[in-house]
Amino acid sequence: MSRIAGWVLLVLALVVSYRPAEAAQAKKTQAQKTQVAVLRPEGPQAAALRRVLTQELGKKGRGREVLPAKKVDAQVKRIRGGPKTAAQRQALAKKLGADVLILASVKGTKRWDVEVRAYSGKDGTLLAEERWDVRPHRAFPDVRRELEPKLGAALKPGPAQRLPPAAVTPPTPVSEPEVAPPTPIAEAPRPAVVKPPPPSVKKEEPPVKPEPTAAGLRNLDGPILEALLSGQGLFRRFNFSGNNANALPDYSLNSAAAASLAVSYFPLSHFTDGMVHNLGIVARGSRALGLSTQLPDGSTYGTTAQFLEGGLRFRLPLRWLEVSVGALYGTHSFAVDLPPESTFALPDVDYRFAHVELGLRKALTERWAIAARAGYQHVLSSGELSSDDYIPELSGSGLDGELAVEFALTRMLGLRLGGELRSYSFTADAAEGAPVFAGGAKDLYFNGQLGVYLRL
């Protein structure tokens, strides 16, 4: 009986002594796991891509632990614009206790350009970068299948963490002087394993610096609101053409000041990430300030010049270029307040037109961009010019073009310098042999502008 009791006590002693060792080993294994922080990707389907990255990187048996998204987002919000420099990434990783930061983006429409970058939490440098050109799919099957083979090696714990502890498994001592030296000797290969990765990482750092300057990363989705307030210098040339044109007066405006405002708003961006969120509303307007006209006899009369149009705009953000098309309706008027007894044959114009346009915008660097626009107006009416006193049977059209350079002061504010040309041409449709006032007319406008834009 006493022998049985002795065996029981021996087993209990072994169990009690084993549990602390097992707990210590489990704690050590947990400490060796790579702590990974997956930041919210940029572009459409950001939530879906983040879910795929979190699931794949955090699978059991891969020696990694993915930090909670709420914890990561709370720290990222404190960095305006997100971590863009190595110092910002290093500070963020320190606050999160992360060994690796994962940044990603989704670009494109018909095909998605998926980019995933892994940064070291120790110094914020690039560990690995991979791209996928895939068809739109919320589950990102190509990324899910290839993520671990392409990025897994870069996310493994460092060699110092992977080396087995030499003091845990000593051999049966034959002679202590001979056993003690091998343990430090086993660490001799460590410098050869640890040293090579840093040089390769630093060599890849220069290509990563331009990432904030890429047009796609800036706004592949495009801003929700765009507004431009500018001052203008206005010029006008109006003259009759064809029959009797030499006997009729021309009109020349060499300079005038004007103010303009242009607004584009994309309300569907609040509700969806699909293609339809690029459909928006656009409105533009300008008006001359303190304008007057002096006639050949020296008399001066107040003059009104204004332009208004509005409609729909659809933009297509490509990787390096943004293309937009618009369909609008507008009015353009120019009137001189002549007294009724005046004999000066200058008609007041009030053009009503349907307008289609094509726009392009390309970011050259992080701060500089160039924009261009071209359009066609189908003139529906022209005011006094098409009255019985001038050219009653009249048909006309217009062309317009704009070229501008932009300089970003901040992420939302910037300056815009450019010029716009607008030309209207009219022809008389009178029957052959019928008396006509003139064979047609041409009306040309040019304005240079300097303004401040806002993009949200």
Side-chain angles (χ1 to χ4, degrees):
M1 187 68 178
S2 61
R3 183 177 297 179
I4 295 174
W7 281 105
V8 171
L9 291 175
L10 179 60
V11 171
L12 290 175
L14 290 174
V15 171
V16 171
S17 63
Y18 173 75
R19 285 184 177 177
E22 182 181 8
Q25 183 65 22
K27 185 175 181 180
K28 192 169 185 179
T29 302
Q30 178 71 15
Q32 291 179 348
K33 285 189 176 181
T34 303
Q35 303 295 308
V36 180
V38 180
L39 280 65
R40 179 177 175 84
E42 299 177 352
Q45 301 303 326
L49 178 58
R50 189 182 198 181
R51 184 163 53 251
V52 169
L53 297 177
T54 301
Q55 292 173 354
E56 288 301 310
L57 296 175
K59 280 187 176 179
K60 292 183 179 179
R62 292 181 174 172
R64 293 188 292 267
E65 181 181 359
V66 179
L67 300 177
K70 291 184 178 180
K71 179 181 178 181
V72 175
D73 293 342
Q75 292 296 337
V76 172
K77 285 182 179 179
R78 299 180 181 181
I79 304 175
R80 179 172 296 180
K84 292 183 174 63
T85 64
Q88 290 176 332
R89 291 189 286 266
Q90 182 181 12
L92 176 62
K94 184 177 180 181
K95 292 179 181 179
L96 294 171
D99 300 313
V100 178
L101 298 179
I102 302 295
L103 282 75
S105 63
V106 186
K107 314 168 189 175
T109 52
K110 292 184 179 180
R111 292 189 68 84
W112 283 350
D113 181 13
V114 180
E115 180 179 352
V116 179
R117 303 182 299 279
Y119 292 94
S120 169
K122 183 179 180 181
D123 52 14
T125 57
L126 183 71
L127 295 177
E129 178 180 16
E130 291 294 339
R131 295 175 182 269
W132 289 267
D133 183 18
V134 298
R135 288 183 296 178
H137 194 292
R138 288 179 178 270
F140 296 94
D142 295 339
V143 179
R144 187 185 296 274
R145 182 175 60 254
E146 300 174 8
L147 183 65
E148 186 64 23
K150 290 186 175 182
L151 290 181
L155 304 183
K156 289 181 180 179
Q161 294 179 341
R162 295 198 299 270
L163 287 176
V168 176
T169 57
T172 303
V174 177
S175 62
E176 289 187 357
E178 297 179 359
V179 175
T183 51
I185 292 174
E187 296 183 1
R190 186 185 303 174
V193 178
V194 175
K195 297 293 183 182
S200 62
V201 170
K202 292 182 179 179
K203 288 179 182 178
E204 295 184 12
E205 184 66 20
V208 179
K209 289 182 180 179
E211 67 180 69
T213 68
L217 290 179
R218 177 187 154 284
N219 297 336
L220 260 186
D221 291 336
I224 296 178
L225 176 66
E226 300 176 69
L228 172 65
L229 178 63
S230 60
Q232 296 181 337
L234 178 64
F235 305 85
R236 185 199 186 198
R237 296 290 185 271
F238 176 87
N239 61 279
F240 291 99
S241 61
N243 298 337
N244 302 329
N246 295 331
L248 298 174
D250 297 336
Y251 183 90
S252 296
L253 176 64
N254 294 325
S255 64
S260 69
L261 175 65
V263 178
S264 296
Y265 179 50
F266 299 85
L268 297 179
S269 297
H270 295 290
F271 309 105
T272 178
D273 290 333
M275 179 68 72
V276 71
H277 84 284
N278 287 312
L279 180 63
I281 304 169
V282 60
R284 307 187 189 104
S286 66
R287 185 177 178 90
L289 305 175
L291 178 60
S292 61
T293 296
Q294 185 175 13
L295 299 184
D297 61 3
S299 58
T300 302
Y301 301 96
T303 304
T304 302
Q306 67 178 16
F307 173 83
L308 293 171
E309 70 174 352
L312 299 178
R313 175 189 170 198
F314 181 80
R315 64 188 176 193
L316 181 61
L318 303 177
R319 185 171 182 177
W320 304 113
L321 183 71
E322 180 180 286
V323 182
S324 64
V325 293
L328 308 95
Y329 174 83
T331 68
H332 190 180
S333 62
F334 195 100
V336 181
D337 297 332
L338 296 175
E341 63 275 9
S342 175
T343 59
F344 189 71
L346 178 67
D348 294 338
V349 296
D350 186 8
Y351 306 130
R352 305 296 172 100
F353 54 84
H355 186 193
V356 291
E357 64 179 21
L358 172 67
L360 302 174
R361 184 179 185 278
K362 178 175 176 58
L364 303 176
T365 66
E366 184 179 3
R367 292 187 176 273
W368 291 95
I370 187 170
R373 178 171 55 86
Y376 169 80
Q377 296 98 22
H378 177 68
V379 179
L380 305 175
S381 66
S382 55
E384 190 178 4
L385 180 62
S386 58
S387 66
D388 294 337
D389 296 332
Y390 293 95
I391 311 175
E393 299 294 335
L394 187 68
S395 63
S397 62
L399 297 173
D400 71 293
E402 180 183 11
L403 182 64
V405 176
E406 299 178 354
F407 178 76
L409 299 175
T410 67
R411 188 174 62 87
M412 295 183 296
L413 290 175
L415 300 177
R416 182 182 174 102
L417 174 66
E420 181 182 18
L421 181 68
R422 190 176 298 268
S423 175
Y424 301 94
S425 298
F426 301 93
T427 57
D429 294 335
E432 185 176 354
V436 295
F437 183 83
K442 293 182 179 180
D443 201 357
L444 178 67
Y445 298 84
F446 174 78
N447 66 73
Q449 55 180 259
L450 174 62
V452 180
Y453 69 77
L454 170 68
R455 289 191 174 96
L456 300 176

